[in-house]
Amino acid sequence: MTAAQIIGTVFYVGYLKPASGTWGSLAAIPLAWFVWLIGGPVLLAVATAAAFFAGSWATRQIIATGDNHDPSEVVIDELVGQWIALLPVGIGAAVMNASFWALWPGVLTAFVAFRLFDIWKPGPIGWADRRGDALGVMLDDVIAGLFAAVIVLIGARLAHGG
């Protein structure tokens, strides 16, 4: 295994079947919690940016060796998108001085909303996916993560008022 394959598959999670993207998104949740536990939402945001750049590199390396522009085993894009969707949860937990898991409805909402947007690919998510390159592989999940983060924020607003 090369470094690109380890990063791109998120330590082999991308080889889990069926629905490797869902497995990648699920694996991202405890990893996000661990990063948040170490450094709060700031470290989660920095780690998300770092994962985006590492994932872009790894994806470029992996697709250069085959015919598929978006191999199913590459799930680093799901990790990045899921972490973006979870950022409002991490920020909310830090502001409330609460456990990350105390905001479990937000975690669940982030997961479901991200998977729905990633599968459905409306508007700019679909545009990014159709680019057919490593940046498109990463960007469609970044945008899906942003859409899901908005849903998390709307859900928090509805649940908590204000």
Side-chain angles (χ1 to χ4, degrees):
M1 271 290 179
T2 66
Q5 290 169 316
I6 292 168
I7 292 166
T9 64
V10 184
F11 300 97
Y12 311 107
V13 169
Y15 292 110
L16 295 174
K17 302 290 181 216
S20 56
T22 299
W23 287 110
S25 295
L26 280 171
I29 296 170
L31 292 171
W33 167 72
F34 182 71
V35 171
W36 180 87
L37 197 60
I38 294 169
V42 172
L43 184 59
L44 183 56
V46 170
T48 301
F52 174 82
F53 289 110
S56 296
W57 170 81
T59 302
R60 197 168 33 256
Q61 300 302 310
I62 292 167
I63 66 175
T65 63
D67 294 335
N68 189 348
H69 89 278
D70 192 358
S72 62
E73 69 270 13
V74 174
V75 294
I76 188 66
D77 51 329
E78 273 80 16
L79 178 135
V80 170
Q82 190 65 69
W83 282 8
I84 291 168
L86 289 167
L87 274 170
V89 174
I91 293 167
V95 167
M96 295 171 44
N97 198 26
S99 160
F100 184 88
W101 297 111
L103 278 66
W104 68 266
V107 174
L108 181 61
T109 300
F111 174 75
V112 171
F114 173 70
R115 291 308 302 146
L116 285 174
F117 285 123
D118 188 32
I119 293 165
W120 177 28
K121 299 192 186 311
I125 302 167
W127 165 82
D129 184 60
R130 289 187 296 275
R131 285 178 52 104
D133 61 5
L135 183 59
V137 170
M138 296 301 294
L139 276 182
D140 81 303
D141 290 279
V142 166
I143 300 167
L146 290 169
F147 280 27
V150 169
I151 298 298
V152 171
L153 290 169
I154 291 168
R157 174 81 172 195
L158 291 172
H160 302 291

